[in-house]
C-alpha cells in the first residue's frame, strides 16, 4: 500500500471550535485530537492523496491562518483491522448497545438491544458524540411512547446505517439516504449483520443513494446527523416531509452552530426545539 499523508494541525485553545468545524466539513472519515501540555490543541488527519491534503490545508489556512500545519508520511495499514485494538462498546439511552461484530461475549451478557456495526469509512460507529446523542434521543422517544412500532422514519445521511437500524429494532419502518456510495454499501452490510430487511416487498429499512429530494414521506420521525450548513439549506424540504406532530432529531452540530440551525427550522414553521448536549456537540429535538 502507498504511504498516507499525515497532517498535524496545531492551534491555540481559543481556536479549537473553529478548527473542529472546518474538519467536520472537510474530513468525513474523522480525525484524532488531543490537548497539549502547552494548552494548544493538536488534530491529526490522514489523507490518501496529495490533492486532498492540499485542499484540506487550504481550507484550514483560510479559516485559521495562524494554525501550524506539518506533513509527514506514514505507512498505510489495514485500518479496519486496526479498529479492533480500541473499539469499545457504546451504550446509548436505556435501550441500545453498539458492538463490533466480533464482540460475541458482550452480546451474550447484555439485555439491551444490540446494534452491530462494522467499522469502516462510513460515519457512525456510536463513538462520536453526535451519533450517541441521536441514539440516546431515539431511546428516550421510545421510552416516552412518542415513537412506536408501525411508525415510519427517514434517516437522512445514514452513513453506517446505525440510526436507521436502531429505528428498525424499535419496530419502525423507513428509508435511509446518503449521497456517498461507500456509506450506502456499508449501511446495507450492517443491515444484513443485524438481521434488518432492506429489500423485497416490505423491507424494514430501505437504503438508497440520494439527498432529501429522494425522500418520499411524510414520516413520523426524521433523523439527520449531518452538518450545520446542509441542515440549514434543507430546512424547508425536511420540514415538508415531516408528518404533522412528527418528531425531528437533528445533530452533527457544534453547540456554537445550534442557534442558527434552530432558527432556520423555526422559520420553516417548527417550534423551538429541545436541546441535548454532549461535550461541544448538540442535538436539536422536536418531540
Amino acid at each position: 500500500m502507498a504511504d498516507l499523508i499525515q497532517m498535524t494541525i496545531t492551534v491555540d485553545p481559543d481556536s479549537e471550535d473553529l478548527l473542529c468545524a472546518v474538519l467536520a466539513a472537510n474530513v468525513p472519515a474523522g480525525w484524532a485530537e488531543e490537548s497539549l501540555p502547552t494548552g494548544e490543541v493538536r488534530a491529526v488527519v490522514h489523507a490518501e492523496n496529495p490533492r486532498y491534503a492540499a485542499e484540506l490545508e487550504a481550507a484550514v489556512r483560510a479559516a485559521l491562518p495562524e494554525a501550524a500545519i506539518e506533513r509527514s508520511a506514514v505507512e498505510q495499514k489495514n485500518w479496519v483491522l486496526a479498529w479492533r485494538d480500541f473499539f469499545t462498546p457504546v451504550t446509548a439511552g436505556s435501550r441500545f448497545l453498539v458492538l463490533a461484530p466480533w464482540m460475541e461475549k458482550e452480546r451474550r451478557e447484555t439485555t439491551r438491544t444490540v446494534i452491530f456495526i462494522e467499522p469502516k469509512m462510513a460515519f457512525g460507529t456510536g463513538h462520536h458524540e453526535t451519533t450517541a446523542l441521536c441514539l440516546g434521543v431515539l431511546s428516550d422517544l421510545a421510552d416516552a411512547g412518542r415513537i412506536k412500532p408501525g411508525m415510519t422514519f427517514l434517516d437522512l445521511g445514514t452513513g453506517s446505517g446505525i440510526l436507521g437500524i436502531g429505528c428498525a429494532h424499535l419496530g419502525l419502518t423507513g428509508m435511509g439516504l446518503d449521497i456517498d456510495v461507500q456509506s450506502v454499501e456499508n449501511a446495507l452490510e450492517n443491515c444484513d449483520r443485524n438481521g434488518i430487511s432492506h429489500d423485497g416487498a416490505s423491507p424494514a429499512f430501505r437504503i438508497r443513494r440520494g439527498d432529501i429530494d429522494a425522500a418520499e414521506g411524510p414520516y413520523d420521525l426524521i433523523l439527520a446527523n449531518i452538518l450545520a450548513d446542509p441542515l440549514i439549506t434543507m430546512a424547508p424540504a425536511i420540514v415538508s416531509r415531516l408528518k404533522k406532530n412528527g418528531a425531528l432529531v437533528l445533530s452533527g452540530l457544534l453547540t456554537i452552530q445550534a442557534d442558527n440551525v434552530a432558527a432556520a427550522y423555526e422559520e420553516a414553521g417548527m417550534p423551538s426545539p429541545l436541546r441535548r448536549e454532549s461535550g461541544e456537540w448538540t442535538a436539536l429535538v422536536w418531540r
Side-chain angles (χ1 to χ4, degrees):
M1 295 184 180
D3 286 347
L4 291 173
I5 301 168
Q6 178 174 291
M7 299 181 63
T8 302
I9 307 165
T10 305
V11 298
D12 62 61
D14 292 337
S15 300
E16 180 179 6
D17 288 345
L18 182 54
L19 174 62
C20 288
V22 173
L23 294 180
N26 292 278
V27 190
W31 64 92
E33 186 178 325
E34 65 175 328
S35 296
L36 302 178
T38 58
E40 294 174 306
V41 176
R42 173 186 293 162
V44 179
V45 180
H46 293 94
E48 292 186 345
N49 64 75
R51 179 179 177 180
Y52 173 77
E55 291 174 349
L56 176 58
E57 181 171 346
V60 172
R61 292 200 182 280
L64 294 160
E66 74 283 3
I69 302 176
E70 299 178 0
R71 291 197 197 189
S72 59
V74 295
E75 181 184 357
Q76 177 80 279
K77 296 181 180 180
N78 188 327
W79 297 106
V80 173
L81 294 180
W83 264 93
R84 297 193 178 205
D85 295 334
F86 60 90
F87 193 105
T88 56
V90 177
T91 58
S94 65
R95 294 178 178 247
F96 296 113
L97 178 66
V98 183
L99 299 176
W102 57 86
M103 293 179 168
E104 280 298 319
K105 177 177 180 292
E106 289 82 353
R107 181 191 65 80
R108 292 192 301 268
E109 293 176 349
T110 187
T111 58
R112 288 173 171 262
T113 297
V114 170
I115 301 175
F116 286 112
I117 296 295
E118 178 71 47
K120 287 191 174 181
M121 291 297 289
F123 180 79
T125 63
H127 290 81
H128 195 279
E129 289 95 330
T130 60
T131 309
L133 275 171
C134 289
L135 278 177
V137 169
L138 187 60
S139 178
D140 292 346
L141 291 173
D143 289 345
R146 183 61 188 81
I147 56 173
K148 302 175 183 179
M151 287 184 170
T152 58
F153 73 89
L154 171 65
D155 179 15
L156 185 61
T158 192
S160 68
I162 186 171
L163 300 181
I165 290 169
C167 289
H169 277 315
L170 293 173
L172 285 71
T173 59
M175 171 178 277
L177 293 170
D178 204 295
I179 60 175
D180 179 67
V181 174
Q182 287 186 332
S183 292
V184 171
E185 293 174 352
N186 189 207
L188 291 170
E189 292 171 1
N190 284 323
C191 280
D192 291 336
R193 196 166 281 113
N194 287 273
I196 302 299
S197 62
H198 55 78
D199 54 16
S202 301
F205 185 21
R206 290 187 297 128
I207 301 169
R208 301 287 185 271
R209 186 182 182 193
D211 57 18
I212 187 62
D213 292 334
E216 298 165 357
Y219 302 94
D220 296 294
L221 169 68
I222 297 179
L223 306 111
N225 183 22
I226 315 178
L227 293 170
D229 286 345
L231 285 176
I232 290 172
T233 301
M234 292 187 291
I238 289 175
V239 171
S240 72
R241 287 162 175 79
L242 186 67
K243 285 186 179 180
K244 183 179 180 180
N245 298 322
L248 174 62
V249 182
L250 307 178
S251 195
L253 311 174
L254 290 165
T255 299
I256 60 173
Q257 300 170 322
D259 286 345
N260 289 339
V261 176
Y265 284 79
E266 291 168 22
E267 184 176 344
M270 299 295 289
S272 296
L274 302 174
R275 301 190 184 211
R276 294 281 297 274
E277 297 183 357
S278 177
E280 61 189 352
W281 301 94
T282 293
L284 302 178
V285 183
W286 288 265
R287 294 178 51 147

